[in-house]
């Protein structure tokens, strides 16, 4: 909406454009200038609303945009609006930003006075507006979804196993910490070790298994400078009796906590006292020649930690593939597609489908990329998981990249073994210096061309998380959505409480459709020039934000209220008009009831008349009530530059728009027309400043546009 903070909508009941002079008082005859004489016909017109045929259109409302404060004074604006119009739309004072205070409370004093004044005058009010991205109290809304302060209890301590090495030695095995297993591991069985770990400086600890005569090496475990989760999966080739943690080339402090070792298919922890709640270190030992210390230590409570998922559309249930990309030198530039419903994990939902071509030269001839929206640096803790299957079994490779194709390091999240059945693959650790490279990494690349023949891979539930910490913690998307649903409910309930006895029609959802992608709703994501009063509810509540708004308006309002959705440029971009109509169909499929569609028509004398007519035809075909919600027409010049020809062209365009509305919108669907700026716009206005867009001048004189509009209403020359 092109909105007005202060609309200078004054008027006296009837003022003419010609200053009348009593020529009989003069002793000589004066001829009136031709330019004035040509406008005297405007004196013959009646008040504007008198031209509505109430027999044919008993419910039609002729509206005007107003400044509530100016109208409440009951002066010139009150007289002018009440004389010429049936209904008013507040330019600012009934919006979220005007009513909701920084503490969330609603200040409805001006609204109550506005309703009382309108009721006394017998003129109705069109409520404007309940769900919009502009004119919001964004300060308040952002404050209720801001990061939460975490109160750290100094008594909330935690035990951990702490090893301190005095110096870095030559070989990784020069410092070793061993755990003697109560029950030996079984050869050929898959095991998973999970733990929390940190170090005084990033280091990768060697993880071995041994039975005293033979040893299995790896996978290694990366420790970062803050607590992070680590997980490794391995299958011993012997009945191992000891776990070995090797860190001979490290000097400093290592911390181990919450160690859980489980066999595949079992939840039994094979490590006793893995949380180190007991200071008894039974089973833990070091070779006698190792001159370092280890013990259970009580650690002070640290900052809060949480995990943030970097992947958009992890479950592949939307069409957003911004986190996913693929290359295949024989198939095309991006063979990653979203499969049909039922291709997802275990036959539920959808999956990312990637096809590799025949006869590859290298395993990376087909690559599937999972991209994060930010650079990840050395020492960053991560967790990665996905569900994957293929038409043919394969072991795929992973790499770290800086953007897809920007290779950094050979191994990132291991080498997943893919079967023809869905299987979840997990990996976690700390990003190493090699994986991060000099400038950080943001992409995991999977090499899929591991066969000499084509294969098709399916990926679902892709989650790539990083651990973050601090003394504040962000709300989860679910928490933000829940908080904003409460705020929207509180706002709409409050407005309906003070207005429902008199206000029977509402602009519930305003300007939902995107200009660049007219079949999609607007978003503030990535916007760098956000205004102070801008807040996109849909970025937190999704496209159903409008469903919620309509249901709340119906719940707290009157059962027979007329509830509208409204947007601009529908006559300029017919795809946007079609997108809005499509969105209305979606809202109603989700249980909302939309009574009408409003079209803002902030147009000019050069606007495309054919498109205007096509817009009305599209809107009429919906069967909904149709309202021209904010009509004004510019001439492409300021008031000081306007010519007589400009004003005649403006009058003709006003007449055309009004006539076409009555011609193409069936009588049962005609809610009305609102003149958004009845007077020409002052130079200090926030809306079309200094433009002669009104039916009256700033001095309340009728313009040719007045006659054009009145003729359109009356059907003259139709």
């Amino acid at each position: 909406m092109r909105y007005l903070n202060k609309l200078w909508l004054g008027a006296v009941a009837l003022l003419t454009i010609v200053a009348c002079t009593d020529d009989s008082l003069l002793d000589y005859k004066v001829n009136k200038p031709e330019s004035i004489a040509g406008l005297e016909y405007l004196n013959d017109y009646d008040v504007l609303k008198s031209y509505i045929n109430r027999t044919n259109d008993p419910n039609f409302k002729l509206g005007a945009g107003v400044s509530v404060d100016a109208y409440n004074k009951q002066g010139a604006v009150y007289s002018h609006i009440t004389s010429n119009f049936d209904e008013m739309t507040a330019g600012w004072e009934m919006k979220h930003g005007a009513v909701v205070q920084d503490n969330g409370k609603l200040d409805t004093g001006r609204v109550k006075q506005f309703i009382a004044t309108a009721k006394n005058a017998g003129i109705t009010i069109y409520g404007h507006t309940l769900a919009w991205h502009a004119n919001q109290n964004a300060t308040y809304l952002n404050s209720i979804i801001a990061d939460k302060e975490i109160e750290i209890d100094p008594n909330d301590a935690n035990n951990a196993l702490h090893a301190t090495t005095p110096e870095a030695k030559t070989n990784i095995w020069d410092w070793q910490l061993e755990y003697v297993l109560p029950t030996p591991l079984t050869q050929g069985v898959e095991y998973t070790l999970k733990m929390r770990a940190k170090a005084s400086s990033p280091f990768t600890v060697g993880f071995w298994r041994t039975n005293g005569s033979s040893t299995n090496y790896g996978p290694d475990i990366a420790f970062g400078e803050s607590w992070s989760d680590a997980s490794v999966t391995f299958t011993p080739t012997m009945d191992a009796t000891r776990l070995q943690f090797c860190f001979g080339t490290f000097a400093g402090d290592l911390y181990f906590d919450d160690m859980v070792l489980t066999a595949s298919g079992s939840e039994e922890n094979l490590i006793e006292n893995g949380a180190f709640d007991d200071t008894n270190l039974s089973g833990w030992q070091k070779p006698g020649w190792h001159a370092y210390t280890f013990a259970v230590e009580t650690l002070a409570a640290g900052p809060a930690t949480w995990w943030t998922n970097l992947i958009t559309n992890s479950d592949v249930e939307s069409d957003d593939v911004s986190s996913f990309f693929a290359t295949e030198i024989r198939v095309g530039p991006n063979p990653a597609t979203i499969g049909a419903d039922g291709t997802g994990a275990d036959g539920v939902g959808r999956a990312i489908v990637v096809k590799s071509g025949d006869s590859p030269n290298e395993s990376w001839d087909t690559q599937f990329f999972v991209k994060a929206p930010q650079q990840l640096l050395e020492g960053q803790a991560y967790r990665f998981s996905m569900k994957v299957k293929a038409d043919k079994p394969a072991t795929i490779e992973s790499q770290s990249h800086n953007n897809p194709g920007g290779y950094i390091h050979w191994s990132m999240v291991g080498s997943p073994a893919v079967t023809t059945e869905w299987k979840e693959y997990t990996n976690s650790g700390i990003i190493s210096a090699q994986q991060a490279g000099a400038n950080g990494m943001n992409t995991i690349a999977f090499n899929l061309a591991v066969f000499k023949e084509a294969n098709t891979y399916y990926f679902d539930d892709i989650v790539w998380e990083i651990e973050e910490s601090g003394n504040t913690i962000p709300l989860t998307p679910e928490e933000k959505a829940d908080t904003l649903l409460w705020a929207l409910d509180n706002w709409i309930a409050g407005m309906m409480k003070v207005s429902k006895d008199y206000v029977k029609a509402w602009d519930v959802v305003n300007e939902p459709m995107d200009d660049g992608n007219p079949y999609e709703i607007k978003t503030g994501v990535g916007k760098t020039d956000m205004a102070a009063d801008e807040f996109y509810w849909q970025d937190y509540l999704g496209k159903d934000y409008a469903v919620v708004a309509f249901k709340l308006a119906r719940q707290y309002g009157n059962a027979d209220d007329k509830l509208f959705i409204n947007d601009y440029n529908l006559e300029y971009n017919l795809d946007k008009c079609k997108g809005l109509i499509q969105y209305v169909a979606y809202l109603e499929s989700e249980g909302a009831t939309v009574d009408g569609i409003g079209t803002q028509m902030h147009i000019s004398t050069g606007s495309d008349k054919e498109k205007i007519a096509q817009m009305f035809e599209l809107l009429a075909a919906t069967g909904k009530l149709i309202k021209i919600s904010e009509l004004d027409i510019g001439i492409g010049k300021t008031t000081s530059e306007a010519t007589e020809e400009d004003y005649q062209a403006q009058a003709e365009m006003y007449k055309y728009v009004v006539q076409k509305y009555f011609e193409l919108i069936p009588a049962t669907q005609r809610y009305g027309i609102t003149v958004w700026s009845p007077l020409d716009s002052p130079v200090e206005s926030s809306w079309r400043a200094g433009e002669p867009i009104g039916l009256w001048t700033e001095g309340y004189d009728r313009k040719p546009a007045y006659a054009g509009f009145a003729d359109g209403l009356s059907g003259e020359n139709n």
Side-chain angles (χ1 to χ4, degrees):
M1 167 177 316
R2 302 299 179 255
Y3 59 89
L4 227 52
N5 284 340
K6 291 185 178 179
L7 270 169
W8 294 86
L9 302 175
V12 292
L14 281 175
L15 293 171
T16 68
I17 198 168
V18 180
C20 299
T21 302
D22 187 354
D23 294 339
S24 65
L25 297 178
L26 304 177
D27 59 359
Y28 57 91
K29 184 176 181 180
V30 177
N31 293 321
K32 292 177 181 176
E34 194 172 315
S35 60
I36 294 178
L39 295 176
E40 287 188 320
Y41 71 96
L42 295 172
N43 293 331
D44 297 330
Y45 279 85
D46 202 345
V47 293
L48 198 59
K49 65 184 180 182
S50 69
Y51 292 95
I52 301 166
N53 187 328
R54 302 294 181 180
T55 300
N56 293 339
D57 291 285
N59 298 316
F60 179 90
K61 291 181 173 59
L62 181 62
V66 299
S67 162
V68 166
D69 289 341
Y71 188 82
N72 282 343
K73 291 178 181 178
Q74 300 187 44
V77 171
Y78 174 89
S79 299
H80 175 244
I81 296 299
T82 303
S83 297
N84 287 280
F85 298 96
D86 305 314
E87 185 168 82
M88 297 179 292
T89 301
W92 158 252
E93 291 87 349
M94 292 181 75
K95 295 188 174 80
H96 187 277
V99 176
V100 178
Q101 307 304 293
D102 287 349
N103 61 4
K105 294 182 178 179
L106 275 61
D107 181 358
T108 58
R110 284 189 297 180
V111 176
K112 291 177 181 177
Q113 184 185 355
F114 182 45
I115 291 172
T117 307
K119 187 175 182 179
N120 183 63
I123 185 169
T124 62
I125 293 173
Y126 180 79
H128 180 72
T129 178
L130 296 177
W132 193 22
H133 66 275
N135 284 179
Q136 306 298 288
N137 188 328
T139 299
Y140 167 67
L141 293 174
N142 284 315
S143 73
I144 62 175
I145 58 171
D147 295 354
K148 296 183 294 186
E149 291 285 339
I150 302 297
E151 293 186 8
I152 304 299
D153 184 351
N155 298 315
D156 186 13
N158 180 49
N159 285 354
L161 179 60
H162 178 198
T164 302
T165 62
E167 60 181 346
K169 291 185 173 290
T170 305
N171 305 300
I172 192 70
W173 58 82
D174 285 340
W175 301 128
Q176 294 180 28
L177 179 62
E178 293 185 342
Y179 179 69
V180 179
L181 292 156
T183 302
L185 305 184
T186 302
Q187 177 181 343
V189 173
E190 184 180 78
Y191 293 87
T192 299
L193 173 68
K194 296 181 179 180
M195 59 188 290
R196 297 276 290 167
K198 75 171 183 174
S200 54
S201 60
F203 185 76
T204 300
V205 172
F207 175 56
W208 303 350
R209 280 81 53 208
T210 182
N211 62 1
S213 58
S214 61
T215 302
N216 290 158
Y217 303 96
D220 296 338
I221 302 172
F223 284 44
E225 290 183 300
S226 60
W227 283 108
S228 64
D229 291 332
S231 175
V232 292
T233 300
F234 60 92
T235 303
T237 60
M238 91 292 284
D239 293 342
T241 57
R242 285 177 289 165
L243 305 181
Q244 295 179 312
F245 300 89
C246 303
F247 39 91
T249 57
F250 177 78
D253 300 298
L254 297 170
Y255 297 88
F256 305 77
D257 200 4
D258 299 330
M259 300 183 72
V260 177
L261 176 65
T262 56
S264 179
S266 172
E267 296 182 0
E268 181 186 0
N269 187 3
L270 302 179
I271 296 179
E272 296 178 346
N273 189 29
F276 303 104
D277 292 333
D278 192 331
T279 57
N280 179 10
L281 284 176
S282 176
W284 292 93
Q285 64 184 29
K286 63 179 180 179
W289 69 91
H290 282 236
Y292 73 88
T293 62
F294 76 96
V296 171
E297 180 177 321
T298 300
L299 304 178
T305 62
W306 62 90
W307 291 93
T308 300
N309 186 14
L310 303 174
I311 302 304
T312 300
N313 193 21
S314 284
D315 57 6
V316 200
E317 291 310 298
S318 80
D319 294 329
D320 186 352
V321 292
S322 57
S323 293
F324 313 118
F325 189 78
T327 59
E328 210 298 314
I329 61 175
R330 293 160 193 79
V331 175
N334 189 4
T337 60
I338 294 181
D341 192 45
T343 59
D346 301 317
V348 178
R350 305 188 295 176
I352 297 289
V353 181
V354 184
K355 296 182 178 181
S356 61
D358 282 318
S359 304
N361 294 320
E362 303 290 351
S363 61
W364 55 83
D365 281 355
T366 303
Q367 289 185 305
F368 173 56
F369 303 102
V370 179
K371 188 176 184 298
Q374 64 192 67
Q375 296 296 106
L376 307 183
L377 305 176
E378 177 188 1
Q380 176 70 64
Y382 72 89
R383 298 191 304 203
F384 181 83
S385 65
M386 66 181 178
K387 294 176 182 175
V388 59
K389 76 169 186 174
D391 286 351
K392 302 167 188 175
T395 298
I396 60 180
E397 304 160 342
S398 69
Q399 301 173 342
S400 65
H401 283 216
N402 187 10
N403 292 320
Y407 171 79
I408 299 175
H409 188 62
W410 181 253
S411 179
M412 180 60 209
V413 292
S415 300
V418 182
T419 71
T420 58
E421 300 295 328
W422 283 105
K423 182 179 179 181
E424 185 171 25
Y425 178 82
T426 62
N427 182 276
S428 62
I430 306 294
I431 295 177
S432 67
Q434 293 84 358
Q435 292 168 333
N439 300 311
M441 60 84 61
N442 60 21
T443 301
I444 301 171
F446 292 100
N447 297 341
L448 306 183
V450 293
F451 281 113
K452 297 300 182 184
E453 56 185 347
N455 201 0
T456 301
Y457 296 85
Y458 305 84
F459 300 89
D460 197 3
D461 296 330
I462 303 170
V463 177
W464 185 7
E465 298 174 300
I466 58 171
E467 188 175 40
E468 301 183 87
S469 64
N471 292 322
T472 61
I473 183 170
L475 300 184
T476 66
E478 294 76 18
E479 289 173 327
K480 289 182 180 181
D482 184 64
T483 300
L484 290 172
L485 284 172
W486 169 84
L488 187 62
D489 185 296
N490 189 59
W491 152 240
I492 293 177
M495 282 301 290
M496 291 301 182
K497 182 178 180 180
V498 300
S499 66
K500 66 180 291 185
D501 289 344
Y502 194 71
V503 180
K504 307 298 183 181
W506 276 92
D507 178 8
V508 177
V509 174
N510 200 41
E511 299 179 5
M513 308 314 294
D514 187 74
D515 292 301
N517 299 290
Y519 290 92
E520 302 294 332
I521 62 172
K522 272 189 174 75
T523 178
V525 175
K527 198 165 189 262
T528 58
D529 59 344
M530 198 86 76
D533 65 350
E534 214 169 341
F535 186 88
Y536 290 81
W537 297 85
Q538 54 266 48
D539 287 342
Y540 304 93
L541 304 180
K543 67 187 296 186
D544 283 1
Y545 85 105
V547 175
V548 174
F550 272 99
K551 288 183 177 180
L552 290 174
R554 189 71 66 189
Q555 174 186 344
Y556 292 115
N558 304 291
D560 58 349
D561 283 350
K562 303 306 180 187
L563 304 182
F564 283 75
I565 193 168
N566 183 55
D567 218 324
Y568 64 91
N569 277 358
L570 303 185
E571 78 293 325
Y572 173 78
N573 184 350
L574 293 177
D575 279 334
K576 190 174 184 182
C577 183
K578 294 173 185 176
L580 180 62
I581 293 169
Q582 193 176 91
Y583 189 46
V584 169
Y586 170 79
L587 300 182
E588 297 204 311
S589 74
E590 296 299 312
T593 300
V594 181
D595 297 305
I597 300 175
T599 172
Q600 299 176 29
M601 295 188 68
H602 303 297
I603 61 176
S604 69
T605 54
S607 293
D608 190 325
K609 290 183 176 180
E610 184 176 346
K611 284 187 175 181
I612 291 172
Q614 289 176 320
M615 175 197 68
F616 284 140
E617 290 170 346
L618 288 169
L619 294 175
T622 66
K624 302 291 184 186
L625 292 172
I626 304 302
K627 173 178 174 17
I628 300 179
S629 57
E630 301 179 17
L631 178 62
D632 53 38
I633 299 176
I635 63 174
K637 297 178 182 178
T638 63
T639 302
S640 62
E641 299 169 327
T643 66
E644 183 178 344
E645 290 75 16
D646 293 326
Y647 286 126
Q648 291 302 325
Q650 184 183 50
E652 195 278 331
M653 182 60 86
Y654 266 116
K655 180 178 179 180
Y656 175 83
V657 170
V658 176
Q659 282 182 329
K660 281 298 174 184
Y661 175 83
F662 281 94
E663 174 189 335
L664 298 176
I665 304 299
T668 56
Q669 293 176 244
R670 297 176 197 146
Y671 178 87
I673 300 174
T674 291
V675 180
W676 191 237
S677 182
L679 305 183
D680 288 345
S681 184
V683 293
E684 67 272 17
S685 173
S686 62
W687 174 241
R688 301 185 84 161
E691 293 187 47
I693 55 177
L695 306 183
W696 290 265
T697 69
E698 290 183 61
Y700 314 112
D701 296 326
R702 292 174 181 168
K703 295 167 51 185
Y706 184 97
F709 197 101
D711 292 346
L713 286 175
S714 66
E716 182 178 319
N717 299 321
N718 282 358

